[in-house]
Amino acid sequence: MTSQYFSLTFFYLFLFFFFSFSEPHLSENSVTPISLPPSPSPSPSPSPSPNNIPIEIQLACKASKDPPTCESSLTELSHIPSNLTALQIILSALSVSSQNLTSAQSMVKNLLDSAGAGDANLTVAAKNCLQGFGNSAYRHNLTAAALPRGEIKDARAWMSAGLGYQIGCSSNLLRVNGTLPVAKTLEVMKGLIGFTTNALWMIMNYDIHGNETGSWAPPKTERDGFWEVGSGSGSGSGFGFRGGVPSGLSPNVTGWVKPSFQDR
Ligand SMILES: *[C@@H]1O[C@H](CO)[C@@H](O)[C@H](O)[C@H]1NC(C)=O
Ligand SMILES: *[C@@H]1O[C@H](CO)[C@@H](O)[C@H](O)[C@H]1NC(C)=O
Ligand SMILES: *[C@@H]1O[C@H](CO)[C@@H](O)[C@H](O)[C@H]1NC(C)=O
Ligand SMILES: *[C@@H]1O[C@H](CO)[C@@H](O)[C@H](O)[C@H]1NC(C)=O
Ligand SMILES: *[C@@H]1O[C@H](CO)[C@@H](O)[C@H](O)[C@H]1NC(C)=O
Ligand SMILES: *[C@@H]1O[C@H](CO)[C@@H](O)[C@H](O)[C@H]1NC(C)=O
Ligand SMILES: *[C@@H]1O[C@H](CO)[C@@H](O)[C@H](O)[C@H]1NC(C)=O
């Protein structure tokens, strides 16, 4: 298969998730790999909106393609403090994405465990996904560590790469979507990719507009938003996207070697 083929696959897959992202319905466990920084105040929100969603969350979720889902995912975290800073909201969005990633991970583990000897294609797809998830979780962690240090362009590149691995997994699973468990996993992946995209777009807005959430908005085009990341901006982390295919992300994700912590 040519790289051209995979370029198109990734591109259409992205468009598919981009335009069809809607409210995920599956809900499972809730592990919290990333914790919020201390809240500035435990007092109730000073300016609750009619629908009870803190105004700062409403503003930040303007960066999302789907603000209502973004808002509800962030307010679902029951411990959400008031007077959130932009940084805290981004870290919350990242945490939501990490939780969904953990769910997707366990679903794919189940797929792998239940795959019979005849399911060679499914086994390969699931293994590739798990490898990609590990890389994606690692990028989530790098992102969460970089943001409070103000290394926003790094965070942007890490998050973009993390998203790329998730899209790669969906692309793999899509080709073996023959059973209900796979279809359900793909559904969760769709939600995961939506939440990761939210986090990425928030980081991009934070990079461009800083904490002025009043100016936050979705990227104007896919080129502005998704594909450009890492090509012009950034600090040369090298995990961005170029020409439609995430660099470092081959269809055979098993070939990808996870960098060590010393790589930065
Ligand atoms: C994904 O995250 C959202 C928001 O926190 C949550 O409602 C949903 O249950 C999660 N889905 C899975 C499968 O973990
Ligand atoms: C919350 O933010 C508002 C406006 O940004 C400010 O007036 C208020 O003092 C803050 N409250 C706390 C407890 O920090
Ligand atoms: C596995 O994938 C190959 C290539 O796409 C295909 O020819 C084959 O039929 C698939 N096997 C099964 C069991 O689906
Ligand atoms: C990410 O961080 C969490 C919490 O510190 C940790 O449990 C997990 O092992 C890390 N994952 C990776 C892939 O580095
Ligand atoms: C996976 O297959 C199921 C059953 O054919 C279908 O309903 C679902 O839309 C497919 N998922 C995707 C993402 O194409
Ligand atoms: C945004 O950041 C600036 C500079 O760090 C700070 O002075 C200002 O108070 C912040 N505004 C909000 C709303 O957090
Ligand atoms: C995928 O990568 C692994 C590890 O590098 C390699 O062993 C395997 O042959 C590759 N598979 C394909 C189809 O390229």
Side-chain angles (χ1 to χ4, degrees):
M1 302 195 196
T2 67
S3 63
Q4 176 84 4
Y5 171 82
F6 283 109
S7 293
L8 288 173
T9 302
F10 279 116
F11 181 66
Y12 286 119
L13 199 84
F14 174 71
L15 289 184
F16 169 76
F17 284 113
F18 187 95
F19 291 109
S20 68
F21 172 62
S22 63
E23 215 173 328
H25 292 290
L26 295 159
S27 80
E28 243 62 63
N29 53 23
S30 58
V31 185
T32 312
I34 293 169
S35 56
L36 283 172
S39 122
S41 144
S43 66
S45 180
S47 49
S49 62
N51 48 4
N52 250 344
I53 294 167
I55 185 70
E56 61 268 23
I57 288 183
Q58 292 185 44
L59 289 175
C61 279
K62 284 198 302 143
S64 170
K65 193 78 187 165
D66 181 1
T69 302
C70 171
E71 288 167 4
S72 70
S73 75
L74 290 176
T75 49
E76 234 174 65
L77 301 169
S78 52
H79 58 282
I80 205 98
S82 65
N83 267 15
L84 287 169
T85 64
L87 175 60
Q88 286 172 321
I89 294 174
I90 294 172
L91 290 173
S92 301
L94 197 50
S95 169
V96 167
S97 168
S98 290
Q99 286 172 29
N100 272 240
L101 180 58
T102 304
S103 301
Q105 216 158 5
S106 70
M107 290 181 85
V108 171
K109 267 185 196 129
N110 288 341
L111 288 182
L112 185 59
D113 290 345
S114 62
D119 294 331
N121 290 348
L122 176 58
T123 301
V124 168
K127 281 184 175 167
N128 282 348
C129 273
L130 290 177
Q131 177 86 33
F133 284 161
N135 292 333
S136 191
Y138 180 74
R139 299 290 178 275
H140 275 65
N141 284 4
L142 290 175
T143 304
L147 281 170
R149 293 197 298 254
E151 296 163 359
I152 302 170
K153 295 210 184 296
D154 277 344
R156 206 171 145 166
W158 300 132
M159 196 76 254
S160 167
L163 177 58
Y165 287 113
Q166 293 164 18
I167 291 173
C169 170
S170 275
S171 155
N172 280 320
L173 286 181
L174 207 51
R175 283 184 239 124
V176 294
N177 182 20
T179 62
L180 189 58
V182 176
K184 278 185 171 167
T185 306
L186 274 166
E187 195 63 25
V188 169
M189 290 302 300
K190 187 167 91 168
L192 167 62
I193 288 168
F195 288 125
T196 308
T197 304
N198 282 349
L200 173 61
W201 287 5
M202 283 185 189
I203 293 169
M204 290 167 52
N205 274 277
Y206 192 50
D207 187 21
I208 296 164
H209 302 293
N211 59 10
E212 299 299 325
T213 46
S215 307
W216 287 20
K220 285 182 212 79
T221 66
E222 300 86 62
R223 186 157 286 283
D224 289 343
F226 190 74
W227 304 105
E228 143 278 356
V229 180
S231 57
S233 70
S235 41
S237 298
F239 292 107
F241 295 105
R242 239 164 287 128
V245 176
S247 63
L249 179 72
S250 71
N252 179 6
V253 189
T254 43
W256 173 253
V257 179
K258 181 165 85 177
S260 67
F261 267 103
Q262 288 89 332
D263 75 343
R264 15 172 327 120

